[in-house]
Amino acid sequence: MFQGSVPSSRRPNSLLVLVTIFIMLMTVSIYQVSNIALQDHDLMNDLEYVRLKEELSKKGNSLLPKDFWAHDNVHDATFSQDQQKLRAALGEETVRDMMALCGRTLYHTLSRGYAKSHSLGRWTFVATGDIPDMWIRDSSVQVGIYLSKIGHHPFLRGIIEGLLRTQAFFIVQDPYANAFSPAWRDIDTLDKFSRLLGRGGWVATRNYELDSSVYFIQFLWNYFSHKDIHAPEHLLHDPIVFDAVKVVIDTWIIEQHHDSKSRYRYSELQRQGLGKKTGYTGMTWSGFRPSDDPNFYGYSIPSNVYAASALYKLIEMNKVVWMDDALHSKSARLLSDIENGIERYGILTVGDGVRVYAYEVDGIGGVLADFDDANLPSLLSLPLLGWPKLDMEVYAATRRRLLDPGINPQYFRGKDIQGIGSEHTMPGYVWPLAMVTEALTDKSIEQRARIAKMLLQMQCGNGLMHESVHANRTTACTRPEFEWANAMFVVMVERSLGYDCDSAAMEFLATQRQRKESDDTSSLPENGDKGDNPLYFGGLESMVQFID
């Protein structure tokens, strides 16, 4: 054996070498093919996303509309003729008054510090107003109206995205809670009464309201389909957002079988917190109304209609963003169940032979009809909820009865104002939310003008909208700073009159700044000016509180 030779027992087997090389080549080929397939998959996803955005743009979002409070453009040509007629019916002075009120209310959530941004926009907490807690429903509308303002103020995108992440975080924390605290609270520091109501941690109140999570899904769609948002899919791909979406759907499915499968209990509800007995309808159960009051029967028709509308949009988002087969199957089946339930249980014939929508049912014969609540979703608001299968003939009959004080116990008519109230407030109090809804769903120019003039009488001394105002004493009101009502007034003005309230709002804020600075002469500009020019000072952006 010569030096340097390899013992025969250690020499490489030529067949083994060939097999090894073959496997390596195949592995590289498979990797390349897989990588190309993945690239093609991503490309197809991008193309599908572009197709969807183009289709929505061409069709004006007619198939899957945004919420009425999150429109792209207030200058919609389809509304222009009605807008001109309404302006004429109101007169110049009333229109000026409405625009001034719209200017005061548009950015009130920001200027009053109710929206706080954390970690440079990663999270946004939005208090409901004079109550420091955040409702997912209220905050969706408070900030959702800013989607159409991003072109004026690009920084608003960060506020909106931060709120969506915060809503998702809270939903994952507890999908049954409806309101959340601005700071985490140790449950053992709370009294027994609060602990029995499920409060503590991030939870402020744990009234399970179906509409709360519906607003989150709708808000996602409004954001995703908005024309001024570049690459919105990046936010939707955030794990906390996708996790929240899955939690919402799983919760709705569980609550289709509330009596047998739900672990939700609330100490003020009957049957040891389970609530009144229900039967299976296909719809999904809710313990509380959008007013925060307990349901009389477990299945809210308006909330299930709104949920069905959201499911159409979720399925579309899933096609181009998440592409999750299980989510699609669950959502499609849930949508079918809910719609069948609405058709079977949600429509009834009342005494005069007219078919109307019920407000609540229990699936075992219990029905609450000829009743509505001011808070949205409501029966009055059904055409605004984006459900494509709404029967407009049934809605028209329902509407006529709801606006009749002789039929609907929550309709109040006084010497000054009239409209729908809520069991959440004392009898005789009319809610601006309901009056805005009535105006947005009424085809009569004269009636819409009458409602607009009544709303101007409901400012209750502080130049804002409120939770409710007494029909006979417009100086008596509840909730001096109720931001949901302020936002909805903006929606009504912009949709009905075709004006963008941003200019009026910026003029109002500039006047406020000028007034404040003119009182402070401690320092004056070197150019000899009085020092009260609002352009010298920070604008709307500087009013948002950023917290580390």
Side-chain angles (χ1 to χ4, degrees):
M1 184 180 296
F2 59 89
Q3 188 176 6
S5 63
V6 179
S8 58
S9 61
R10 296 184 182 178
R11 291 174 190 165
N13 184 299
S14 57
L15 179 60
L16 180 61
V17 170
L18 290 173
V19 170
T20 301
I21 293 172
F22 176 76
I23 292 173
M24 291 174 64
L25 289 173
M26 287 298 294
T27 300
V28 171
S29 299
I30 291 171
Y31 172 80
Q32 290 174 338
V33 170
S34 300
N35 193 45
I36 292 172
L38 285 170
Q39 291 174 352
D40 288 345
H41 184 273
D42 290 341
L43 177 61
M44 289 302 295
N45 183 30
D46 291 341
L47 291 174
E48 177 67 11
Y49 171 70
V50 171
R51 180 203 63 75
L52 174 63
K53 294 284 278 190
E54 289 178 350
E55 181 178 310
L56 289 170
S57 177
K58 290 176 183 176
K59 296 182 179 179
N61 294 353
S62 59
L63 291 180
L64 294 172
K66 296 179 184 64
D67 275 307
F68 60 94
W69 41 264
H71 51 91
D72 277 340
N73 190 348
V74 297
H75 306 290
D76 191 327
T78 60
F79 288 94
S80 60
Q81 190 173 4
D82 275 355
Q83 290 165 351
Q84 291 171 4
K85 289 180 179 178
L86 181 58
R87 293 175 204 162
L90 289 169
E92 291 185 7
E93 184 178 353
T94 301
V95 169
R96 281 198 300 271
D97 290 343
M98 290 184 67
M99 291 303 298
L101 177 53
C102 198
R104 291 193 296 274
T105 53
L106 174 57
Y107 296 123
H108 196 259
T109 286
L110 302 182
S111 64
R112 289 285 286 138
Y114 293 138
K116 293 180 171 58
S117 181
H118 299 256
S119 302
L120 293 179
R122 176 68 185 172
W123 312 99
T124 306
F125 185 92
V126 180
T128 187
D130 46 32
I131 298 174
D133 301 320
M134 173 177 139
W135 271 253
I136 289 179
R137 169 185 54 249
D138 297 35
S139 62
S140 295
V141 183
Q142 288 172 250
V143 171
I145 63 172
Y146 299 151
L147 281 165
S148 65
K149 311 305 176 195
I150 291 176
H152 300 303
H153 310 285
F155 84 98
L156 290 171
R157 176 174 182 168
I159 302 299
I160 293 165
E161 291 180 344
L163 176 59
L164 280 165
R165 288 192 195 93
T166 302
Q167 290 182 344
F169 172 80
F170 285 150
I171 287 170
V172 171
Q173 289 290 307
D174 189 343
Y176 289 101
N178 64 316
F180 299 87
S181 302
W184 184 87
R185 299 177 300 168
D186 186 342
I187 187 173
D188 290 325
T189 65
L190 304 180
D191 57 33
K192 182 67 175 289
F193 175 80
S194 298
R195 298 199 302 273
L196 281 170
L197 295 176
R199 299 172 183 177
W202 289 106
V203 174
T205 54
R206 199 171 186 258
N207 303 18
Y208 177 56
E209 300 165 1
L210 168 61
D211 71 280
S212 182
S213 51
V214 176
Y215 271 94
F216 168 68
I217 300 297
Q218 296 278 6
F219 193 8
L220 273 182
W221 172 258
N222 299 334
Y223 167 86
F224 170 71
S225 59
H226 199 277
K227 66 180 180 64
D228 289 336
I229 301 291
H230 172 69
E233 67 277 10
H234 291 302
L235 175 69
L236 271 67
H237 276 304
D238 192 313
I240 194 67
V241 172
F242 185 47
D243 286 350
V245 169
K246 292 190 294 182
V247 166
V248 166
I249 297 305
D250 288 343
T251 303
W252 292 358
I253 291 172
I254 289 171
E255 294 305 327
Q256 288 181 288
H257 311 270
H258 175 72
D259 280 30
S260 59
K261 294 185 178 180
S262 179
R263 291 181 57 80
Y264 175 75
R265 300 292 185 275
Y266 194 82
S267 62
E268 294 180 352
L269 297 181
Q270 298 180 11
R271 294 196 300 154
Q272 296 180 312
L274 191 61
K276 291 183 178 179
K277 185 174 177 58
T278 58
Y280 177 80
T281 65
M283 292 183 284
T284 185
W285 180 90
S286 183
F288 293 82
R289 298 169 180 167
S291 63
D292 299 334
D293 299 303
N295 280 21
F296 195 80
Y297 295 117
Y299 300 111
S300 164
I301 302 304
S303 292
N304 272 275
V305 165
Y306 202 26
S309 167
L311 285 166
Y312 277 103
K313 298 163 185 175
L314 187 151
I315 289 169
E316 198 66 36
M317 287 187 286
N318 187 53
K319 286 180 183 178
V320 296
V321 180
W322 305 305
M323 295 180 292
D324 186 285
D325 291 340
L327 180 62
H328 176 82
S329 297
K330 289 179 179 180
S331 301
R333 174 63 182 273
L334 180 59
L335 173 59
S336 177
D337 289 345
I338 289 176
E339 290 188 323
N340 289 337
I342 294 169
E343 295 294 329
R344 181 176 177 184
Y345 295 93
I347 300 176
L348 69 149
T349 302
V350 292
D352 52 5
V354 176
R355 297 172 73 236
V356 299
Y357 283 107
Y359 185 74
E360 290 167 357
V361 301
D362 62 7
I364 51 176
V367 176
L368 178 59
D370 289 337
F371 173 92
D372 204 13
D373 189 275
N375 294 266
L376 286 75
S378 61
L379 288 177
L380 192 63
S381 72
L382 289 180
L384 304 176
L385 303 183
W387 184 46
K389 295 187 178 181
L390 179 67
D391 188 318
M392 287 305 295
E393 185 177 344
V394 175
Y395 169 74
T398 307
R399 177 191 174 87
R400 283 193 297 271
R401 296 177 69 86
L402 294 177
L403 298 179
D404 185 340
I407 295 176
N408 178 8
Q410 287 301 316
Y411 191 94
F412 304 109
R413 177 177 289 157
K415 64 181 180 67
D416 297 314
I417 57 175
Q418 63 186 57
I420 294 176
S422 171
E423 289 185 345
H424 194 70
T425 48
M426 296 291 290
Y429 280 79
V430 176
W431 285 51
L433 286 177
M435 297 182 68
V436 167
T437 304
E438 184 180 350
L440 289 171
T441 56
D442 202 307
K443 295 179 181 179
S444 166
I445 297 296
E446 292 73 20
Q447 180 67 1
R448 286 157 60 188
R450 186 185 65 83
I451 293 171
K453 290 175 181 178
M454 284 194 294
L455 284 166
L456 289 175
Q457 298 180 56
M458 301 172 71
Q459 300 177 57
C460 216
N462 71 346
L464 299 170
M465 288 288 95
H466 303 277
E467 179 185 59
S468 68
V469 180
H470 198 280
N472 286 312
R473 299 190 316 278
T474 54
T475 56
C477 61
T478 62
R479 297 287 305 275
E481 296 196 3
F482 184 40
E483 297 303 321
W484 186 15
N486 283 332
M488 288 295 292
F489 182 81
V490 172
V491 172
M492 189 200 75
V493 171
E494 293 192 335
R495 296 278 289 188
S496 299
L497 298 181
Y499 291 132
D500 187 336
C501 290
D502 179 74
S503 296
M506 298 311 294
E507 181 180 350
F508 168 72
L509 293 173
T511 301
Q512 292 288 95
R513 172 54 56 187
Q514 189 171 34
R515 215 172 270 155
K516 185 177 293 187
E517 296 299 339
S518 64
D519 293 334
D520 183 357
T521 58
S522 60
S523 180
L524 296 175
E526 294 182 2
N527 61 13
D529 197 357
K530 293 186 298 182
D532 59 355
N533 186 339
L535 296 179
Y536 289 155
F537 306 95
L540 181 64
E541 296 81 357
S542 64
M543 296 181 183
V544 178
Q545 296 184 28
F546 283 83
I547 301 171
D548 291 337

